[in-house]
Amino acid sequence: MSKRIYSDLKTELDNIRGSGMYKSERILGSPQSAEITLSDGSKVINFCANNYLGLANHPEVEKAAKITIGDWGMGLASVRFICGTQKIHKELEAKVSQFLGMEDTILFSSCFDANGGVFEPLLDEDSAIISDELNHASIIDGVRLCKAKRFRYKHSDMAELEQCLKQSQVSKYRLIVTDGVFSMDGDIANLPAICDLAEKYDALVMVDDSHATGYIGDTGRGSIEYHHVQDRIDILTTTFGKALGGSSGGSISGKGELIEFLRQRSRPYIFSNTIAPPIVGAVLKVLDLIMESTNFRNHVMTNANYFRKGMTEAGFDIIQSDTAIVPVMIYDEQTAVKMADKLLAEGIYVIGFTYPVVAVGKARIRVQLSAAHSLYHLDRAIHSFTKIGKELGILK
Ligand SMILES: *Cc1c(COP(=O)(O)O)cnc(C)c1O
């Protein structure tokens, strides 16, 4: 009977294909950059990466990775508590702490793992976690691994958050958790209101700033800088796989005793290899570059504002925000998919997002800007969007 799973899986796969939700991966023939090569050899302008600062193939970052392989090898073939850790990992933890203005930092091989390892050690059944409904899947999974009571509020609905805080008064510890920037709408969490409520009801605040670290805020410290709440956040998780060079790795930052405790108890930290040395070297270089100069974050924000303005003037319905995520609202599912296909044929690589990733009737094309884009790239995109928009009857 058990072997029947294979034929059942085939049926399931056919169902997924039939529903139009099958995720096929494009094979890329080049590094991540403003322009990339697809497997058929065609060149397209890329607007669907989280390469906000354009550092994924920056020569100095690549050079740092190569030097670090030479000096430190590929890795320790062990977890940190058994065989020890390398100096560069401690350096990276110190530099992330310095950059984010937090006391201490612990590294994980991804932010998915960071979120998987943060709740369970700190909160048991006597505690409560209060979560925005649009939080990232890794937060949802991390919360599932822990016994704390769960509360969920409507996206950015501060009245509902307050209700949750009132309902959870009996809990020992309470933690409000939110994404700093939400990936589908590109909006920034209302951190001042969240921190005020946390203070009023004696709760802790955790922000996952994966889509913000490196470019949001005047010096790129993230949504916590944008909203001037750096001193009011208890736990901050983020990724090195987006703005900070696009490779991989994640971290949790917070007060010294909290981070020290996580080193003793966080399972993905204790039982999984840490970040490979070349990546550590690359992220150290990225942090040096962006602490020396705000040019990268200024450039991506200038690009985002230019694109938003051009698209709004062209007549498109854009969700406005202060991030480099620009959702172009198409609403109808089939039109959004068709539009993304036609744009790709024009050399503009964007993705249409439909239900269940976004609500029914809220289909959109998400455009992500990068400091790697030039004005030429942006003008090409606005031109092609306008052309296809007219063809499909979205624009008059
Ligand atoms: C991308 C993302 C993650 C996952 O980061 P990885 O380092 O790739 O695992 C976690 N949380 C949020 C909010 C993200 O956007």
Side-chain angles (χ1 to χ4, degrees):
M1 272 307 260
S2 294
K3 297 278 187 196
R4 232 181 59 194
I5 190 171
Y6 300 110
S7 60
D8 288 347
L9 289 176
K10 276 191 181 142
T11 311
E12 272 306 308
L13 282 165
D14 285 339
N15 289 342
I16 297 172
R17 274 186 208 100
S19 71
M21 308 229 278
Y22 190 86
K23 297 180 190 63
S24 44
E25 297 173 3
R26 282 207 175 83
I27 313 290
L28 307 183
S30 67
Q32 188 59 273
S33 193
E35 293 183 25
I36 56 172
T37 309
L38 302 182
S39 53
D40 63 1
S42 61
K43 260 203 170 180
V44 295
I45 308 173
N46 186 9
F47 289 98
C48 57
N50 309 307
N51 184 23
Y52 298 116
L53 297 174
L55 295 173
N57 66 337
H58 191 283
E60 283 195 54
V61 176
E62 288 181 359
K63 187 172 145 207
K66 286 174 191 159
I67 291 172
T68 318
I69 287 196
D71 291 348
W72 296 96
M74 288 303 293
L76 285 174
S78 169
V79 296
R80 291 171 72 168
F81 89 95
I82 294 184
C83 201
T85 193
Q86 290 175 323
K87 206 177 80 189
I88 49 172
H89 295 92
K90 299 309 289 181
E91 272 171 30
L92 181 56
E93 289 175 341
K95 197 156 278 186
V96 171
S97 304
Q98 183 200 344
F99 180 67
L100 296 174
M102 307 291 276
E103 258 179 49
D104 201 359
T105 294
I106 178 174
L107 300 178
F108 288 81
S109 48
S110 69
C111 187
F112 206 107
D113 269 353
N115 288 333
V118 67
F119 301 104
E120 185 264 341
L122 299 172
L123 305 167
D124 60 16
E125 58 272 16
D126 299 332
S127 295
I129 299 170
I130 308 169
S131 184
D132 188 293
E133 67 175 353
L134 291 190
N135 279 343
H136 190 262
S138 55
I139 295 177
I140 295 168
D141 285 10
V143 171
R144 280 186 188 146
L145 291 172
C146 123
K147 294 204 175 71
K149 294 195 177 57
R150 301 166 199 175
F151 294 82
R152 204 168 64 150
Y153 57 95
K154 274 209 201 74
H155 176 48
S156 277
D157 186 328
M158 294 298 109
E160 265 201 24
L161 169 57
E162 184 157 21
Q163 279 308 314
C164 295
L165 285 161
K166 282 182 179 156
Q167 285 164 17
S168 58
Q169 299 263 28
V170 292
S171 301
K172 181 174 156 202
Y173 310 130
R174 288 178 299 164
L175 175 66
I176 305 168
V177 55
T178 182
D179 284 16
V181 166
F182 291 87
S183 64
M184 285 300 142
D185 287 358
D187 57 324
I188 303 177
N190 187 353
L191 295 180
I194 290 173
C195 290
D196 286 350
L197 285 170
E199 220 161 84
K200 181 170 169 193
Y201 290 94
D202 182 30
L204 301 163
V205 178
M206 170 175 153
V207 176
D208 177 345
D209 235 359
S210 290
H211 273 288
T213 302
Y215 84 97
I216 298 290
D218 288 342
T219 65
R221 264 67 175 175
S223 65
I224 56 172
E225 179 183 31
Y226 178 88
H227 278 309
H228 308 288
V229 294
Q230 276 160 302
D231 303 335
R232 305 176 74 190
I233 302 301
D234 295 284
I235 301 173
L236 192 118
T237 61
T238 194
T239 182
F240 308 139
K242 290 184 171 119
L244 300 183
S247 57
S248 63
S251 57
I252 304 173
S253 301
K255 281 204 185 304
E257 51 272 39
L258 186 137
I259 299 303
E260 190 182 346
F261 184 76
L262 289 177
R263 285 188 207 282
Q264 301 301 313
R265 290 282 193 273
S266 178
R267 294 169 67 84
Y269 179 82
I270 298 172
F271 296 110
S272 182
N273 245 353
T274 190
I275 305 175
I279 294 175
V280 175
V283 180
L284 280 166
K285 174 55 77 178
V286 165
L287 290 170
D288 283 343
L289 289 174
I290 64 177
M291 284 198 269
E292 273 162 24
S293 159
T294 54
N295 285 349
F296 297 100
R297 62 86 45 200
N298 294 348
H299 194 179
V300 62
M301 291 318 292
T302 306
N303 281 349
N305 292 333
Y306 181 91
F307 183 78
R308 253 191 296 269
K309 185 159 175 284
M311 290 290 282
T312 307
E313 282 168 6
F316 283 102
D317 184 3
I318 304 293
I319 303 183
Q320 302 290 339
S321 77
D322 284 338
T323 70
I325 300 171
V326 183
V328 182
M329 297 306 293
I330 308 297
Y331 300 102
D332 178 61
E333 275 75 20
Q334 280 170 353
T335 312
V337 173
K338 208 185 279 177
M339 180 142 190
D341 287 346
K342 282 176 174 281
L343 283 163
L344 186 66
E346 293 269 314
I348 306 296
Y349 189 14
V350 287
I351 303 291
F353 286 92
T354 55
Y355 180 79
V357 181
V358 295
V360 179
K362 291 273 168 89
R364 66 200 62 188
I365 292 179
R366 183 177 70 173
V367 180
Q368 291 172 283
L369 286 307
S370 166
H373 291 131
S374 65
L375 275 186
Y376 160 77
H377 295 128
L378 306 180
D379 286 337
R380 272 279 318 272
I382 296 166
H383 172 82
S384 297
F385 261 97
T386 307
K387 181 181 159 199
I388 308 294
K390 282 180 182 157
E391 266 177 48
L392 293 177
I394 297 164
L395 295 181
K396 299 280 165 334

